[in-house]
Amino acid sequence: MAAPAEQLKQAMPYTTRYPELGTGPLDVRPLIDPELFELERERIFKQAWLYVARAEELAEPGDYKLRRLDVANTSVIIVRDRNGEVHAFHNICTHRGNKLIPEQEAQSLGHTATHTLTCRFHAWTFNTDGTLRGVARQESFAGLDKSCLGLNRIHCAEWEGFIFINLAEQPRQSLVEYLDGVADHYAGYPYNEATLRFRYSTVLNCNWKVSLYAFSEGYHVPTIHQGTFPSLATLEHTEFRCFGPHSTSGLYVPPVPGLEPTPVTANLGGRLRASNRHRPHLELLPENINPDNRQDFQFEFSVFFPNSVIHLCAGNGYPGMAIFHHQFWPIAVDKTLWEGTNYFRPPETVSERIAIAHTNALHRNAWLEDTSTMEQTYQALSSGVLDEMVLMDEELMIRNTHKHWHDYMGI
């Protein structure tokens, strides 16, 4: 029996602001069905804008990033040309289809001082703007038109230093149109200052949405992280907003009376908080994030559909940390590449470097706790025992992703 309207509004004040999302259970099938996974490849990952790089990774002309996308059966080169423009191309030589740059792992960085990319198979050479520059023994080809044999271009756009690609022949929307209100919501923070990054990754034996959903709510925090971060027992998860397929929320952690950090954490965290470079910079937050200027602000975190979660800390929630994000790259219906990256402003002293490493390690340990649930969740759901999932109010961002997943899939 459905709850009376007033009772429902009291129990789910955030969710009921978005009646199109509903308040009932969600179907489990999208998390476990192999046929739906194959449809996702075409209807979501070859249609939506995908975050693939930070501008600082391509700081200089000739810098490039190689990004393998198993879900789209392709490999992508994102490169800054000699004029400073960023391009994206399929990593395939237009001669006989060899991979232009050999892959070492899911993502890697490189630089070409000559502003060219040369295939190691037959030495075809391309400029960093994608044009075909040179062909070995060109005279032996009949009627070869180099102007038609440049690298296969991928739509590429940048927002606040976040570089996105779109694999569709013609995207439905520009990147800014796609990001909707979340673009303005996050705009204006000096993301480009956080150039020191620590990346972790692993392949999880679960569906990508199981991983994404685990990082899309704070309901689990007091339970899963009670050993690592007991201070989070008082966590407040609030300020939910939906912007089309994307959603965002704020986390605050009021002090726990009598709970003090360990001496090491107090010492090292204190060094960062005392540094003008690494101290909390709440004044730099965009105006709609932490609108009441609460000093117990932990971070703002958003789900960028389809597969990214971005957290803006401004050095407050975790000492010195500016931002961090997670990405969940599908490999198979039951396999996901999870990547987590922490971003800091570079240290100026050895003690700051040690303190940053300490903050990063604490955060990494929390991620180990998070990822420990995902494979078991997927295994249990795959049994078919549950047809539906029941969500509480603060799992709103899962509900929004789920709704727009259905919209993209057309089912």
Side-chain angles (χ1 to χ4, degrees):
M1 179 182 295
E6 190 57 36
Q7 179 184 341
L8 190 61
K9 190 173 181 180
Q10 290 179 1
M12 307 185 82
Y14 302 118
T15 306
T16 51
R17 293 177 190 171
Y18 299 95
E20 70 275 14
L21 301 183
T23 57
L26 306 186
D27 53 319
V28 166
R29 186 181 165 218
L31 305 178
I32 59 175
D33 190 314
E35 293 182 4
L36 291 180
F37 175 78
E38 294 305 317
L39 284 177
E40 286 177 336
R41 295 181 188 270
E42 300 297 326
R43 298 184 182 180
I44 295 180
F45 287 92
K46 291 186 180 180
Q47 299 297 324
W49 285 94
L50 306 174
Y51 164 48
V52 292
R54 279 291 306 166
E56 297 78 42
E57 294 178 294
L58 310 174
E60 302 295 334
D63 287 347
Y64 65 84
K65 182 175 184 177
L66 188 62
R67 166 87 260 183
R68 187 173 70 240
L69 298 179
D70 294 284
V71 68
N73 295 317
T74 193
S75 174
V76 178
I77 303 167
I78 309 103
V79 60
R80 191 177 295 278
D81 70 17
R82 64 171 63 248
N83 296 317
E85 186 176 352
V86 175
H87 306 271
F89 307 103
H90 287 282
N91 183 22
I92 182 170
C93 178
T94 53
H95 171 216
R96 293 248 308 272
N98 190 54
K99 284 189 176 178
L100 188 60
I101 303 176
E103 294 174 351
Q104 303 299 320
E105 52 183 328
Q107 61 170 286
S108 57
L109 300 175
H111 178 80
T112 168
T114 61
H115 301 282
T116 59
L117 301 169
T118 300
C119 180
R120 62 175 182 159
F121 199 3
H122 300 100
W124 278 38
T125 301
F126 302 83
N127 294 310
T128 49
D129 65 2
T131 55
L132 178 58
R133 178 171 181 168
V135 174
R137 297 181 59 195
Q138 183 176 340
E139 70 280 1
S140 296
F141 289 84
L144 186 72
D145 184 356
K146 291 197 297 184
S147 68
C148 298
L149 290 168
L151 295 176
N152 286 274
R153 189 173 297 275
I154 298 170
H155 295 280
C156 179
E158 183 176 333
W159 162 80
E160 293 289 333
F162 294 88
I163 297 171
F164 289 74
I165 62 168
N166 191 301
L167 295 167
E169 183 175 340
Q170 183 57 51
R172 305 174 188 177
Q173 303 166 289
S174 69
L175 174 60
V176 172
E177 290 170 337
Y178 173 77
L179 292 177
D180 202 296
V182 80
D184 287 337
H185 188 76
Y186 264 75
Y189 184 80
Y191 301 100
N192 61 305
E193 295 179 4
T195 56
L196 176 64
R197 57 188 176 270
F198 299 86
R199 174 181 168 266
Y200 299 91
S201 67
T202 192
V203 173
L204 297 165
N205 295 318
C206 67
N207 185 268
W208 66 277
K209 295 181 293 300
V210 170
S211 301
L212 173 65
Y213 291 173
F215 281 101
S216 298
E217 44 87 1
Y219 185 33
H220 71 277
V221 171
T223 308
I224 292 294
H225 302 308
Q226 60 181 324
T228 307
F229 292 113
S231 61
L232 300 183
T234 58
L235 178 144
E236 295 179 18
H237 194 184
T238 184
E239 297 166 359
F240 290 87
R241 300 185 188 187
C242 296
F243 300 105
H246 321 291
S247 53
T248 190
S249 59
L251 265 75
Y252 300 86
V253 182
V256 178
L259 184 63
E260 299 293 337
T262 65
V264 171
T265 297
N267 183 312
L268 296 176
R271 291 173 183 268
L272 295 175
R273 294 186 183 279
S275 160
N276 186 58
R277 185 179 183 83
H278 301 289
R279 67 170 176 82
H281 283 283
L282 299 181
E283 76 282 2
L284 298 179
L285 288 171
E287 63 177 344
N288 291 319
I289 293 178
N290 189 21
D292 297 326
N293 195 31
R294 289 178 55 170
Q295 298 304 298
D296 59 354
F297 173 80
Q298 184 80 4
F299 50 70
E300 177 86 4
F301 84 103
S302 297
V303 175
F304 282 64
F305 187 88
N307 67 323
S308 298
V309 178
I310 299 177
H311 302 67
L312 176 52
C313 315
N316 202 54
Y318 302 100
M321 192 182 300
I323 62 172
F324 66 95
H325 60 62
H326 304 281
Q327 293 193 277
F328 311 94
W329 295 103
I331 299 174
V333 65
D334 59 353
K335 276 196 187 325
T336 299
L337 172 65
W338 162 78
E339 297 175 323
T341 309
N342 295 326
Y343 293 82
F344 298 81
R345 290 177 175 83
E348 296 181 313
T349 67
V350 172
S351 64
E352 287 180 357
R353 179 66 179 84
I354 294 170
I356 286 172
H358 180 74
T359 296
N360 185 65
L362 288 177
H363 201 220
R364 175 207 60 197
N365 292 346
W367 287 351
L368 290 172
E369 293 169 339
D370 285 314
T371 54
S372 69
T373 68
M374 299 172 188
E375 293 182 341
Q376 294 184 18
T377 298
Y378 181 77
Q379 290 170 5
L381 290 176
S382 296
S383 69
V385 173
L386 295 184
D387 295 324
E388 298 177 325
M389 302 180 291
V390 180
L391 303 188
M392 55 96 77
D393 194 32
E394 293 167 24
E395 293 171 302
L396 168 64
M397 297 201 294
I398 297 174
R399 191 179 293 277
N400 189 63
T401 301
H402 189 83
K403 188 264 184 192
H404 287 278
W405 179 92
H406 277 280
D407 289 349
Y408 265 77
M409 293 287 283
I411 59 176

PDB file of all heavy atoms in Angstrom, residues 64-82:
ATOM      1  N   TYR A  64      50.084  14.020 -24.921  1.00  0.00           N
ATOM      2  CA  TYR A  64      48.907  13.229 -25.275  1.00  0.00           C
ATOM      3  C   TYR A  64      48.571  12.248 -24.165  1.00  0.00           C
ATOM      4  O   TYR A  64      49.391  11.916 -23.312  1.00  0.00           O
ATOM      5  CB  TYR A  64      49.104  12.488 -26.602  1.00  0.00           C
ATOM      6  CG  TYR A  64      50.179  11.427 -26.609  1.00  0.00           C
ATOM      7  CD1 TYR A  64      49.927  10.128 -26.157  1.00  0.00           C
ATOM      8  CD2 TYR A  64      51.455  11.711 -27.098  1.00  0.00           C
ATOM      9  CE1 TYR A  64      50.911   9.151 -26.180  1.00  0.00           C
ATOM     10  CE2 TYR A  64      52.446  10.745 -27.120  1.00  0.00           C
ATOM     11  CZ  TYR A  64      52.170   9.462 -26.651  1.00  0.00           C
ATOM     12  OH  TYR A  64      53.154   8.501 -26.658  1.00  0.00           O
ATOM     13  N   LYS A  65      47.323  11.799 -24.200  1.00  0.00           N
ATOM     14  CA  LYS A  65      46.846  10.758 -23.281  1.00  0.00           C
ATOM     15  C   LYS A  65      46.205   9.660 -24.107  1.00  0.00           C
ATOM     16  O   LYS A  65      45.447   9.930 -25.049  1.00  0.00           O
ATOM     17  CB  LYS A  65      45.826  11.331 -22.292  1.00  0.00           C
ATOM     18  CG  LYS A  65      45.326  10.312 -21.267  1.00  0.00           C
ATOM     19  CD  LYS A  65      44.418  10.959 -20.222  1.00  0.00           C
ATOM     20  CE  LYS A  65      44.014   9.961 -19.145  1.00  0.00           C
ATOM     21  NZ  LYS A  65      43.191  10.600 -18.084  1.00  0.00           N
ATOM     22  N   LEU A  66      46.533   8.435 -23.759  1.00  0.00           N
ATOM     23  CA  LEU A  66      45.933   7.266 -24.396  1.00  0.00           C
ATOM     24  C   LEU A  66      44.917   6.675 -23.423  1.00  0.00           C
ATOM     25  O   LEU A  66      45.234   6.456 -22.248  1.00  0.00           O
ATOM     26  CB  LEU A  66      47.009   6.242 -24.731  1.00  0.00           C
ATOM     27  CG  LEU A  66      46.583   5.043 -25.577  1.00  0.00           C
ATOM     28  CD1 LEU A  66      46.102   5.491 -26.934  1.00  0.00           C
ATOM     29  CD2 LEU A  66      47.746   4.065 -25.719  1.00  0.00           C
ATOM     30  N   ARG A  67      43.697   6.454 -23.889  1.00  0.00           N
ATOM     31  CA  ARG A  67      42.615   5.994 -23.019  1.00  0.00           C
ATOM     32  C   ARG A  67      41.900   4.825 -23.691  1.00  0.00           C
ATOM     33  O   ARG A  67      41.315   4.965 -24.766  1.00  0.00           O
ATOM     34  CB  ARG A  67      41.658   7.153 -22.809  1.00  0.00           C
ATOM     35  CG  ARG A  67      40.297   6.866 -22.222  1.00  0.00           C
ATOM     36  CD  ARG A  67      40.295   6.875 -20.714  1.00  0.00           C
ATOM     37  NE  ARG A  67      40.344   5.532 -20.186  1.00  0.00           N
ATOM     38  CZ  ARG A  67      40.303   5.229 -18.895  1.00  0.00           C
ATOM     39  NH1 ARG A  67      40.266   6.201 -18.003  1.00  0.00           N
ATOM     40  NH2 ARG A  67      40.335   3.986 -18.485  1.00  0.00           N
ATOM     41  N   ARG A  68      42.004   3.634 -23.086  1.00  0.00           N
ATOM     42  CA  ARG A  68      41.299   2.469 -23.626  1.00  0.00           C
ATOM     43  C   ARG A  68      39.856   2.471 -23.138  1.00  0.00           C
ATOM     44  O   ARG A  68      39.593   2.676 -21.950  1.00  0.00           O
ATOM     45  CB  ARG A  68      41.985   1.173 -23.205  1.00  0.00           C
ATOM     46  CG  ARG A  68      41.379  -0.063 -23.877  1.00  0.00           C
ATOM     47  CD  ARG A  68      42.171  -1.326 -23.588  1.00  0.00           C
ATOM     48  NE  ARG A  68      42.054  -1.762 -22.203  1.00  0.00           N
ATOM     49  CZ  ARG A  68      43.080  -1.876 -21.364  1.00  0.00           C
ATOM     50  NH1 ARG A  68      44.298  -1.557 -21.765  1.00  0.00           N
ATOM     51  NH2 ARG A  68      42.903  -2.286 -20.122  1.00  0.00           N
ATOM     52  N   LEU A  69      38.922   2.255 -24.055  1.00  0.00           N
ATOM     53  CA  LEU A  69      37.503   2.195 -23.723  1.00  0.00           C
ATOM     54  C   LEU A  69      36.958   0.837 -24.148  1.00  0.00           C
ATOM     55  O   LEU A  69      36.478   0.665 -25.267  1.00  0.00           O
ATOM     56  CB  LEU A  69      36.731   3.323 -24.420  1.00  0.00           C
ATOM     57  CG  LEU A  69      37.113   4.764 -24.058  1.00  0.00           C
ATOM     58  CD1 LEU A  69      36.271   5.745 -24.850  1.00  0.00           C
ATOM     59  CD2 LEU A  69      36.962   5.005 -22.560  1.00  0.00           C
ATOM     60  N   ASP A  70      37.048  -0.121 -23.250  1.00  0.00           N
ATOM     61  CA  ASP A  70      36.580  -1.475 -23.575  1.00  0.00           C
ATOM     62  C   ASP A  70      35.103  -1.480 -23.942  1.00  0.00           C
ATOM     63  O   ASP A  70      34.681  -2.239 -24.821  1.00  0.00           O
ATOM     64  CB  ASP A  70      36.815  -2.408 -22.387  1.00  0.00           C
ATOM     65  CG  ASP A  70      38.285  -2.621 -22.101  1.00  0.00           C
ATOM     66  OD1 ASP A  70      38.929  -3.377 -22.837  1.00  0.00           O
ATOM     67  OD2 ASP A  70      38.798  -2.032 -21.130  1.00  0.00           O
ATOM     68  N   VAL A  71      34.321  -0.651 -23.270  1.00  0.00           N
ATOM     69  CA  VAL A  71      32.880  -0.665 -23.487  1.00  0.00           C
ATOM     70  C   VAL A  71      32.526  -0.265 -24.914  1.00  0.00           C
ATOM     71  O   VAL A  71      31.486  -0.672 -25.440  1.00  0.00           O
ATOM     72  CB  VAL A  71      32.169   0.259 -22.474  1.00  0.00           C
ATOM     73  CG1 VAL A  71      32.496   1.728 -22.714  1.00  0.00           C
ATOM     74  CG2 VAL A  71      30.670   0.017 -22.476  1.00  0.00           C
ATOM     75  N   ALA A  72      33.376   0.509 -25.558  1.00  0.00           N
ATOM     76  CA  ALA A  72      33.133   0.924 -26.936  1.00  0.00           C
ATOM     77  C   ALA A  72      34.046   0.204 -27.910  1.00  0.00           C
ATOM     78  O   ALA A  72      34.083   0.547 -29.106  1.00  0.00           O
ATOM     79  CB  ALA A  72      33.314   2.435 -27.067  1.00  0.00           C
ATOM     80  N   ASN A  73      34.788  -0.771 -27.439  1.00  0.00           N
ATOM     81  CA  ASN A  73      35.715  -1.538 -28.283  1.00  0.00           C
ATOM     82  C   ASN A  73      36.671  -0.628 -29.049  1.00  0.00           C
ATOM     83  O   ASN A  73      36.937  -0.831 -30.242  1.00  0.00           O
ATOM     84  CB  ASN A  73      34.941  -2.425 -29.272  1.00  0.00           C
ATOM     85  CG  ASN A  73      34.146  -3.500 -28.567  1.00  0.00           C
ATOM     86  OD1 ASN A  73      34.619  -4.123 -27.641  1.00  0.00           O
ATOM     87  ND2 ASN A  73      32.906  -3.694 -28.997  1.00  0.00           N
ATOM     88  N   THR A  74      37.181   0.378 -28.352  1.00  0.00           N
ATOM     89  CA  THR A  74      38.091   1.292 -29.031  1.00  0.00           C
ATOM     90  C   THR A  74      39.139   1.807 -28.054  1.00  0.00           C
ATOM     91  O   THR A  74      39.059   1.587 -26.843  1.00  0.00           O
ATOM     92  CB  THR A  74      37.325   2.476 -29.666  1.00  0.00           C
ATOM     93  OG1 THR A  74      38.192   3.166 -30.567  1.00  0.00           O
ATOM     94  CG2 THR A  74      36.817   3.454 -28.617  1.00  0.00           C
ATOM     95  N   SER A  75      40.110   2.478 -28.620  1.00  0.00           N
ATOM     96  CA  SER A  75      41.174   3.130 -27.867  1.00  0.00           C
ATOM     97  C   SER A  75      41.249   4.554 -28.397  1.00  0.00           C
ATOM     98  O   SER A  75      41.123   4.776 -29.608  1.00  0.00           O
ATOM     99  CB  SER A  75      42.488   2.376 -28.095  1.00  0.00           C
ATOM    100  OG  SER A  75      43.571   3.049 -27.507  1.00  0.00           O
ATOM    101  N   VAL A  76      41.434   5.520 -27.512  1.00  0.00           N
ATOM    102  CA  VAL A  76      41.330   6.929 -27.884  1.00  0.00           C
ATOM    103  C   VAL A  76      42.633   7.661 -27.576  1.00  0.00           C
ATOM    104  O   VAL A  76      43.235   7.468 -26.519  1.00  0.00           O
ATOM    105  CB  VAL A  76      40.161   7.602 -27.127  1.00  0.00           C
ATOM    106  CG1 VAL A  76      40.077   9.093 -27.467  1.00  0.00           C
ATOM    107  CG2 VAL A  76      38.844   6.906 -27.457  1.00  0.00           C
ATOM    108  N   ILE A  77      43.055   8.514 -28.501  1.00  0.00           N
ATOM    109  CA  ILE A  77      44.184   9.421 -28.291  1.00  0.00           C
ATOM    110  C   ILE A  77      43.621  10.815 -28.071  1.00  0.00           C
ATOM    111  O   ILE A  77      42.882  11.331 -28.915  1.00  0.00           O
ATOM    112  CB  ILE A  77      45.138   9.443 -29.502  1.00  0.00           C
ATOM    113  CG1 ILE A  77      45.654   8.042 -29.831  1.00  0.00           C
ATOM    114  CG2 ILE A  77      46.293  10.402 -29.262  1.00  0.00           C
ATOM    115  CD1 ILE A  77      46.342   7.949 -31.187  1.00  0.00           C
ATOM    116  N   ILE A  78      43.945  11.428 -26.935  1.00  0.00           N
ATOM    117  CA  ILE A  78      43.610  12.832 -26.689  1.00  0.00           C
ATOM    118  C   ILE A  78      44.933  13.576 -26.700  1.00  0.00           C
ATOM    119  O   ILE A  78      45.841  13.258 -25.927  1.00  0.00           O
ATOM    120  CB  ILE A  78      42.880  13.017 -25.346  1.00  0.00           C
ATOM    121  CG1 ILE A  78      41.694  12.046 -25.231  1.00  0.00           C
ATOM    122  CG2 ILE A  78      42.403  14.450 -25.183  1.00  0.00           C
ATOM    123  CD1 ILE A  78      41.953  10.860 -24.359  1.00  0.00           C
ATOM    124  N   VAL A  79      45.070  14.586 -27.589  1.00  0.00           N
ATOM    125  CA  VAL A  79      46.378  15.195 -27.813  1.00  0.00           C
ATOM    126  C   VAL A  79      46.246  16.705 -27.973  1.00  0.00           C
ATOM    127  O   VAL A  79      45.249  17.202 -28.526  1.00  0.00           O
ATOM    128  CB  VAL A  79      47.064  14.565 -29.048  1.00  0.00           C
ATOM    129  CG1 VAL A  79      46.230  14.765 -30.306  1.00  0.00           C
ATOM    130  CG2 VAL A  79      48.480  15.093 -29.236  1.00  0.00           C
ATOM    131  N   ARG A  80      47.257  17.438 -27.492  1.00  0.00           N
ATOM    132  CA  ARG A  80      47.300  18.890 -27.689  1.00  0.00           C
ATOM    133  C   ARG A  80      48.258  19.173 -28.850  1.00  0.00           C
ATOM    134  O   ARG A  80      49.438  18.808 -28.789  1.00  0.00           O
ATOM    135  CB  ARG A  80      47.767  19.591 -26.409  1.00  0.00           C
ATOM    136  CG  ARG A  80      47.570  21.115 -26.457  1.00  0.00           C
ATOM    137  CD  ARG A  80      47.969  21.775 -25.149  1.00  0.00           C
ATOM    138  NE  ARG A  80      47.138  21.394 -24.025  1.00  0.00           N
ATOM    139  CZ  ARG A  80      45.951  21.920 -23.727  1.00  0.00           C
ATOM    140  NH1 ARG A  80      45.426  22.850 -24.520  1.00  0.00           N
ATOM    141  NH2 ARG A  80      45.284  21.516 -22.650  1.00  0.00           N
ATOM    142  N   ASP A  81      47.745  19.818 -29.898  1.00  0.00           N
ATOM    143  CA  ASP A  81      48.569  20.048 -31.087  1.00  0.00           C
ATOM    144  C   ASP A  81      49.523  21.228 -30.888  1.00  0.00           C
ATOM    145  O   ASP A  81      49.529  21.882 -29.843  1.00  0.00           O
ATOM    146  CB  ASP A  81      47.697  20.215 -32.334  1.00  0.00           C
ATOM    147  CG  ASP A  81      46.899  21.519 -32.373  1.00  0.00           C
ATOM    148  OD1 ASP A  81      47.237  22.461 -31.621  1.00  0.00           O
ATOM    149  OD2 ASP A  81      45.940  21.599 -33.170  1.00  0.00           O
ATOM    150  N   ARG A  82      50.317  21.521 -31.886  1.00  0.00           N
ATOM    151  CA  ARG A  82      51.354  22.558 -31.755  1.00  0.00           C
ATOM    152  C   ARG A  82      50.758  23.949 -31.543  1.00  0.00           C
ATOM    153  O   ARG A  82      51.430  24.851 -31.053  1.00  0.00           O
ATOM    154  CB  ARG A  82      52.277  22.552 -32.968  1.00  0.00           C
ATOM    155  CG  ARG A  82      51.621  22.892 -34.264  1.00  0.00           C
ATOM    156  CD  ARG A  82      52.650  23.091 -35.400  1.00  0.00           C
ATOM    157  NE  ARG A  82      53.423  21.893 -35.705  1.00  0.00           N
ATOM    158  CZ  ARG A  82      54.726  21.761 -35.464  1.00  0.00           C
ATOM    159  NH1 ARG A  82      55.399  22.744 -34.873  1.00  0.00           N
ATOM    160  NH2 ARG A  82      55.366  20.666 -35.813  1.00  0.00           N
TER     161      ARG A  82
END
